[in-house]
Amino acid sequence: MSQTRGRYDFCIGLVLAMSSSIFIGGSFILKKKGLLRLARKGSMRAGQGGHAYLKEWLWWAGLLSMGAGEVANFAAYAFAPATLVTPLGALSVLVSAILSSFFLNEKLNLHGKIGCLLSILGSTVMVIHAPQEEEVETLNEMSQKLGDPGFVVFATLVVIVSLILIFVVGPRHGQTNILVYITICSVIGALSVSCVKGLGIAIKEFFAGKPVLEHPLSWILLLSLTVCVSMQINYLNRALDIFNTSLVTPIYYVIFTTSVLTCSAILFKEWQHMAADDIIGTFSGFLTIIVGIFLLHAFKDVNFTLANLPVSLRKDDRATNGTLLSMHDGFNHDEESSPCLDEIQSTESLSARRNGSLSAF
């Protein structure tokens, strides 16, 4: 009975995670279009600290779409482990990349399409080899997990790094370096996922008739989640306003997934009982995702599609044949001109000897 229930929860979590990726991927497009409309109107941009986007309905539509995705994501964490839900966020990369090519005129070349495909394949491998998290059924157990020394150290480091990025690095390099604002969103997102996991347990206990509202951890988790999500929205808006959406989405995914997997491993001790093949599979899947993200990022300005692939191959063949022919002609020319060169060199050496002998006299 427990195995059947576990499979049922797994399927619910899988469907919710996939629908979450669709909503979130679409939200990036709606938010970006709203920010672009504001830029055309001459309003102060979000990347410069402006908040005019709060009056733009397209931005609010994107926020509602992201809210729906986050709700589905929230529910998915309640039914499935974080190592299943988080890697499926790669689907939002695919959705965002495809929609941005249609609605934002951000070209997605062949390398980008292969990168999206690799991201999905890597996520699938990570899901197959995902470690099993420790079962946490009550808020008391969750409070013990949150008080573990390893997690306390991790959370402290996240807060310190975030503060340094916000107050020191951000004002200097946030406008030019795409990693600054995205890193802030990602590391804070690791803490928000932990809050979501705890609130999911609280909701289950609430429907079971337990006095959840009297437990102080419920309110602490809710307040922490509100603060974390607000900061994520703020700095994600800045990154989207300054940089290309097809770059922000995949890079955010990679750093966010790394942060969440690290946090989940520390909090729920997921890696202690993993087999060697699952460890290799998890790392292989994640490296595959990174390769896909690299293809999206490194070749974004290369105009290369399936339509011009035969033309490129023909050009390469002509260039290769032309190089071989020129080398052959040059070689023949060298052979033909070598006797003349020998004669010239011998004449020059003779005259040099004569001059030398004359000067000796």
Side-chain angles (χ1 to χ4, degrees):
M1 184 68 180
S2 60
Q3 291 183 352
T4 305
R5 180 66 183 175
R7 291 177 182 175
Y8 181 72
D9 289 347
F10 179 88
C11 292
I12 292 177
L14 183 63
V15 172
L16 288 171
M18 293 176 66
S19 61
S20 170
S21 297
I22 294 173
F23 280 114
I24 292 175
S27 72
F28 283 104
I29 309 304
L30 291 172
K31 284 184 177 182
K32 183 70 175 183
K33 286 188 73 68
L35 294 172
L36 289 174
R37 286 183 59 174
L38 288 173
R40 287 194 294 268
K41 293 177 182 177
S43 302
M44 186 175 181
R45 304 185 61 151
Q48 299 171 347
H51 298 282
Y53 56 83
L54 295 175
K55 300 179 182 179
E56 176 60 48
W57 71 269
L58 267 177
W59 184 88
W60 279 105
L63 181 64
L64 291 175
S65 179
M66 178 167 279
E70 292 297 340
V71 169
N73 197 51
F74 182 96
Y77 280 112
F79 287 97
T83 45
L84 168 68
V85 178
T86 305
L88 287 178
L91 292 176
S92 65
V93 177
L94 174 63
V95 172
S96 178
I98 293 175
L99 292 179
S100 63
S101 65
F102 281 103
F103 297 105
L104 298 178
N105 295 322
E106 296 179 1
K107 301 300 181 181
L108 186 66
N109 57 17
L110 183 61
H111 298 90
K113 294 173 183 177
I114 295 174
C116 290
L117 179 61
L118 288 176
S119 298
I120 296 173
L121 292 177
S123 298
T124 304
V125 173
M126 287 190 70
V127 169
I128 293 173
H129 295 279
Q132 296 294 323
E133 65 183 5
E134 292 183 0
E135 292 294 333
V136 181
E137 301 292 340
T138 64
L139 283 176
N140 291 328
E141 293 178 1
M142 188 67 185
S143 62
Q144 292 177 0
K145 291 288 184 184
L146 294 174
D148 185 77
F151 180 76
V152 171
V153 171
F154 174 79
T156 304
L157 289 175
V158 166
V159 172
I160 293 173
V161 169
S162 301
L163 292 175
I164 292 173
L165 289 174
I166 291 171
F167 294 107
V168 179
V169 181
R172 297 178 182 177
H173 307 287
Q175 300 288 325
T176 56
N177 194 327
I178 192 173
L179 296 177
V180 176
Y181 293 142
I182 294 179
T183 303
I184 295 173
C185 299
S186 302
V187 295
I188 293 175
L191 296 181
S192 67
V193 167
S194 302
C195 297
V196 166
K197 195 70 178 176
L199 287 174
I201 295 170
I203 292 172
K204 284 185 177 180
E205 284 195 304
F206 177 78
F207 286 110
K210 296 182 180 180
V212 175
L213 298 179
E214 299 177 2
H215 202 294
L217 182 61
S218 301
W219 301 104
I220 294 173
L221 290 174
L222 183 60
L223 178 62
S224 301
L225 181 62
T226 303
V227 173
C228 290
V229 170
S230 300
M231 294 181 69
Q232 283 181 267
I233 291 173
N234 182 31
Y235 288 100
L236 186 58
N237 279 330
R238 295 191 182 191
L240 283 171
D241 188 48
I242 298 170
F243 304 102
N244 195 301
T245 308
S246 60
L247 295 180
V248 172
T249 307
I251 295 174
Y252 174 65
Y253 167 77
V254 170
I255 304 177
F256 174 72
T257 303
T258 304
S259 303
V260 171
L261 292 180
T262 303
C263 179
S264 185
I266 295 172
L267 185 60
F268 297 107
K269 309 292 190 299
E270 298 173 337
W271 301 81
Q272 288 185 351
H273 307 291
M274 283 185 68
D277 57 340
D278 288 330
I279 294 175
I280 295 173
T282 301
F283 280 107
S284 299
F286 190 61
L287 288 175
T288 303
I289 295 173
I290 292 176
V291 172
I293 299 304
F294 173 77
L295 289 176
L296 275 168
H297 178 70
F299 302 100
K300 62 184 178 67
D301 296 324
V302 179
N303 187 17
F304 188 71
T305 60
L306 285 174
N308 59 22
L309 179 60
V311 178
S312 301
L313 291 176
R314 285 198 296 270
K315 287 181 179 178
D316 291 341
D317 290 340
R318 290 171 186 169
T320 305
N321 294 332
T323 305
L324 291 174
L325 287 173
S326 62
M327 289 175 63
H328 180 68
D329 293 340
F331 181 73
N332 290 336
H333 177 71
D334 291 342
E335 285 184 340
E336 292 173 356
S337 60
S338 58
C340 300
L341 288 173
D342 291 340
E343 292 177 2
I344 294 171
Q345 288 175 355
S346 60
T347 307
E348 288 178 348
S349 62
L350 223 83
S351 61
R353 286 196 198 103
R354 288 172 184 170
N355 293 334
S357 56
L358 287 173
S359 56
F361 284 110

